[in-house]
Every structure is written in C-alpha cells, then in structure tokens.
C-alpha cells in the first residue's frame, strides 16, 4: 500500500488513511499486516501492543511511521539493539527539527505534528518539556501556545 491505489471510480487515493473510505475496509492500521510465529498482527498491534508495551519510549513515534509526506522520515537502516538509543535519538531530533513535519516556531506559537496530540500521554511529563529534554530545544517553548 505504498503506491497510489485507485478506487472503483478510477480515482486515486491521496492518503493511506483514505483506503478504508474508498474500498469499504476497516482502518488500514487495523488490517492484518502479516503473521509472526503464526499470530496475525496489525500495524496498530505492532506499534502499541508490542513496541510501546515493552519500551514505553515516546521516541518510537519518530521511528514507526506510515511513510506519508507529513510523517517522520523513514530510516534507511534497520533498527539494531546495539545502536537503538542513538537511532531513537537521531530520528526524534531529525523529525522535530523538520519544520514541515515535526515542529515549527512562529513567533510565540509552537506548531507541532498531530502525532504529538494523538499520543500526548506518551510524551512525559508533557509534550513541550519532552521536546526540550530530548532535542535540546529552547526552554522558551514551554511558554508557547501549541497549534497543530
């Protein structure tokens, strides 16, 4: 599903989230993505029931992405145990430093990816402080209004 799909009218789907709307399917995140050890997994299962359950690491949201233009960039390398910390940190910094994907400061307004809103409970103690702590961002952002 990484290429444009056409619906029954021959129109192309603009976003991965449109697949369910055009084809009458359940949300793409809830579709079976494959079997591992005989157990069926969805994309949602992999991210939330497996990765986040064992790591409880908010930077995973910068790594496990749908590959849309607005999502964090996909890594060109596999994630490996001996480099995981550096890879998580690099992905988070790259994402939040990308003003069209992660974070943008416009005067005293902080524009953030919708991912921060969807998973705000994962970013502790709060989204703004998490960004300061993990991206060396200015502490001034903690006083800014957030927009998404």
């Amino acid at each position: 599903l990484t290429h444009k799909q056409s619906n029954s009218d021959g129109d192309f789907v603009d976003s991965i989230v449109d697949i369910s709307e055009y084809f009458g399917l359940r949300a793409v995140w809830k579709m079976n993505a494959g079997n591992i050890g005989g157990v069926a997994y969805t994309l949602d299962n992999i991210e939330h029931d497996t990765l986040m359950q064992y790591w409880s690491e908010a930077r995973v949201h910068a790594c496990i992405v749908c590959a849309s233009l607005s999502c964090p960039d996909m890594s060109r390398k596999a994630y490996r145990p001996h480099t995981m910390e550096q890879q998580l940190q690099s992905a988070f910094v790259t994402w939040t430093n990308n003003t069209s994907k992660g974070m943008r400061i416009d005067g005293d307004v902080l524009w953030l990816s919708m991912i921060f809103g969807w998973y705000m409970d994962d970013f502790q103690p709060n989204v703004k402080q998490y960004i300061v702590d993990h991206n060396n961002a200015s502490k001034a952002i903690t006083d800014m209004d957030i927009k998404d």
Side-chain angles (χ1 to χ4, degrees), residues 17 31 41 52-53 63 65 74-75 88 90 96 99-100 128:
V17 297
M31 292 179 188
Y41 284 89
M52 293 301 287
Q53 179 182 4
C63 302
V65 301
M74 291 183 72
S75 176
L88 286 168
S90 177
T96 52
T99 58
S100 66
K128 291 188 280 187

Side-chain angles (χ1 to χ4, degrees), residues 7-65:
N7 65 14
S8 59
D9 297 329
D11 298 325
F12 283 102
V13 174
D14 293 320
S15 167
I16 192 170
V17 297
D18 293 336
I19 292 171
S20 60
E21 176 184 332
Y22 284 117
F23 296 103
L25 304 169
R26 64 191 143 159
V28 69
W29 320 116
K30 305 285 185 188
M31 292 179 188
N32 185 3
N35 294 310
I36 302 172
V39 177
Y41 284 89
T42 67
L43 296 174
D44 200 50
N45 290 140
I46 293 167
E47 182 175 1
H48 301 286
D49 300 335
T50 304
L51 297 176
M52 293 301 287
Q53 179 182 4
Y54 293 104
W55 283 328
S56 190
E57 169 58 71
R59 292 176 297 173
V60 166
H61 296 298
C63 302
I64 306 300
V65 301

Side-chain angles (χ1 to χ4, degrees), residues 32-136:
N32 185 3
N35 294 310
I36 302 172
V39 177
Y41 284 89
T42 67
L43 296 174
D44 200 50
N45 290 140
I46 293 167
E47 182 175 1
H48 301 286
D49 300 335
T50 304
L51 297 176
M52 293 301 287
Q53 179 182 4
Y54 293 104
W55 283 328
S56 190
E57 169 58 71
R59 292 176 297 173
V60 166
H61 296 298
C63 302
I64 306 300
V65 301
C66 73
S68 71
L69 288 175
S70 61
C71 275
D73 294 330
M74 291 183 72
S75 176
R76 293 178 180 260
K77 297 181 179 180
Y79 290 95
R80 304 279 185 190
H82 64 281
T83 58
M84 184 65 70
E85 176 61 29
Q86 184 273 332
Q87 288 177 290
L88 286 168
Q89 185 61 22
S90 177
F92 186 79
V93 169
T94 299
W95 174 45
T96 52
N97 284 347
N98 186 327
T99 58
S100 66
K101 293 186 178 206
M103 176 179 74
R104 183 178 84 243
I105 297 172
D106 187 8
D108 59 351
V109 175
L110 179 63
W111 292 87
L112 294 175
S113 164
M114 291 175 60
I115 293 170
F116 287 107
W118 296 332
Y119 304 111
M120 72 172 50
D121 292 341
D122 294 344
F123 298 95
Q124 295 296 320
N126 61 62
V127 169
K128 291 188 280 187
Q129 189 60 52
Y130 191 92
I131 293 170
V132 168
D133 293 344
H134 290 86
N135 188 11
N136 297 322

